[in-house]
Amino acid sequence: MKVLGIETSCDETGIALYCTERGLLGQALHSQIAMHERYGGVVPELASRDHIRRVLPLTRQVLEQAGIDASAIDAIAYTEGPGLAGALLVGAGIGTSMAFALGLPAIGIHHLEGHLLSPLLSADPPAFPFVALLVSGGHTQLMQVAGIGRYGLLGDTLDDAAGEAFDKSAQLLGLGYPGGPAISRLAAGGTPGRHRLPRPMLQSDDLDFSFSGLKTAVLTAVRRGVPDEQSRADLAAEVEAAIVGVLVAKSLRALRETGHERLVVAGGVSANRRLREQLGAASARERLRVHFPEPALCSDNGAMIAFAGALRLQAGATPTAGVGAAIDGFRVRPRWPMEELAPVV
Ligand code: KG4
Ligand code: ZN
């Protein structure tokens, strides 16, 4: 089965073609970072307009790369939510229209399920069950994963997401958007511990997170004075160490509490080098395996949506739009708790 995946939930237009027999046949991505950078964050209306311009040319590019005609596609998967309503409507609208035009089923995918399943696209995929740490710009969640669609929430952030903490700290340090990679780059030349930042909720007796206090502490540190480039690098290193320290500690706690031996990390922040190193070190120390997505699949992309769509359709899920769907149209879900997903396997 060949599934075309369309991701337009935020500031990346991602298109990919996944084949259940041959794997990824083609993928293309357009990042809007340069367009939003001057505003210090994503401008929703600009995002939607840009997605409209990109979806079809990128789809043509992917089909060319794969060397197949649109008539060879078996199904279309698009991101149904969560995300920016206008941006989601572009992918869902174009995906559904293509499905009607080509006489195909279309399936709406939960963006975080896409992230969560993306490590299964790697050469050494994790087996179920496992604990997943989902860390993106909008989410920081620990989930217990028994199978596709069988997700139990173990812990969540009470305020800011981990990616948001990186982004806001970066802004306070005068770095660009997105903040995660910028902090990480600056942190490489710094030493954590020279500035002291709190590790929020590190000692709390649960699996929840809180990062808004960190932002306030960074603001205080910046006001107190970051006299030179070395001091800025030291503060960036401490920000990274604080966020990563809490993520690692809570992930290990989740593994201990559930008795699972596998941890899957996904979402934009899973690209972070310090997080990968520290979890790698923990897995060498303790009896556990840590799985990350391929670096190119950490941030938003079409491959994870095509892949999740293929798994769901293969398992007999009902299409949400196009041929075989219960409704004669489509919908998007800008807010969509992951626990509401229907189990598949
Ligand atoms: O998953 P994603 O691409 O989009 C959302 O669904 O939110 O995640 C974007 C987030 C941003 O907050 C960005 O700063 C963060 O991931 N990020 C990183 C790194 N690369 C991206 N954070 C820390 N280190 C990185 N290397
Ligand atoms: Zn994402």
Side-chain angles (χ1 to χ4, degrees):
M1 185 198 298
K2 293 186 191 65
V3 180
L4 181 76
I6 304 176
E7 154 63 38
T8 64
S9 67
C10 190
D11 59 346
E12 255 121 16
T13 318
I15 308 287
L17 190 68
Y18 176 76
C19 170
T20 47
E21 285 81 43
R22 292 162 54 210
L24 266 182
L25 300 183
Q27 55 175 323
L29 188 78
H30 175 78
S31 164
Q32 303 176 353
I33 285 176
M35 186 178 76
H36 297 296
E37 206 170 17
R38 74 169 96 161
Y39 305 103
V42 178
V43 183
E45 178 63 24
L46 294 182
S48 318
R49 292 185 206 176
D50 199 65
H51 285 308
I52 290 176
R53 282 192 287 270
R54 308 284 173 186
V55 171
L56 288 177
L58 288 179
T59 300
R60 273 189 214 104
Q61 194 180 316
V62 165
L63 290 177
E64 242 167 64
Q65 208 182 85
I68 72 155
D69 188 74
S71 59
I73 300 173
D74 298 300
I76 291 177
Y78 58 87
T79 306
E80 184 174 322
L84 302 169
L88 290 166
L89 281 168
V90 175
I94 298 180
T96 303
S97 310
M98 281 167 65
F100 276 121
L102 296 166
L104 300 175
I107 186 157
I109 295 298
H110 193 291
H111 180 81
L112 291 178
E113 178 173 66
H115 275 305
L116 194 153
L117 298 176
S118 63
L120 270 69
L121 271 168
S122 65
D124 178 24
F128 296 113
F130 52 75
V131 167
L133 172 69
L134 280 176
V135 268
S136 70
H139 293 85
T140 304
Q141 296 184 332
L142 276 162
M143 318 274 312
Q144 185 160 6
V145 181
I148 298 161
R150 294 170 62 197
Y151 312 127
L153 187 65
L154 296 169
D156 204 344
T157 181
L158 305 178
D159 39 58
D160 293 353
E164 203 176 350
F166 271 109
D167 294 339
K168 288 180 175 170
S169 301
Q171 219 169 11
L172 292 170
L173 275 161
L175 299 168
Y177 160 86
I183 293 253
S184 207
R185 268 194 305 276
L186 185 58
T191 307
R194 289 191 180 149
H195 295 269
R196 292 296 303 169
L197 293 173
R199 270 61 174 163
M201 314 270 291
L202 188 63
Q203 308 300 340
S204 72
D205 204 17
D206 52 34
L207 296 169
D208 290 330
F209 303 88
S210 164
F211 289 109
S212 66
L214 187 67
K215 177 182 62 193
T216 314
V218 174
L219 179 63
T220 308
V222 169
R223 286 205 176 132
R224 202 179 292 134
V226 186
D228 51 33
E229 203 42 37
Q230 185 57 52
S231 180
R232 247 162 63 92
D234 291 341
L235 183 51
E238 176 69 4
V239 168
E240 190 177 48
I243 297 172
V244 167
V246 177
L247 293 177
V248 170
K250 294 275 172 159
S251 300
L252 296 181
R253 185 187 187 117
L255 288 166
R256 267 196 313 275
E257 284 186 9
T258 56
H260 293 316
E261 291 176 353
R262 272 180 296 271
L263 176 71
V264 164
V265 190
V269 181
S270 68
N272 185 270
R273 219 186 49 198
R274 190 179 181 93
L275 179 65
R276 288 180 174 238
E277 282 169 5
Q278 292 210 350
L279 284 174
S283 71
R285 228 173 28 238
E286 299 173 35
R287 241 174 56 115
L288 57 102
R289 294 270 330 259
V290 187
H291 296 262
F292 290 94
E294 305 283 335
L297 298 184
C298 286
S299 54
D300 295 347
N301 62 83
M304 67 186 194
I305 302 303
F307 181 61
L311 292 182
R312 282 194 164 264
L313 288 169
Q314 242 183 348
T318 309
T320 49
V323 173
I327 57 164
D328 203 13
F330 65 89
R331 66 166 179 174
V332 294
R333 303 183 66 176
R335 287 176 189 279
W336 187 4
M338 207 172 176
E339 306 85 88
E340 286 179 14
L341 277 171
V344 171
V345 179

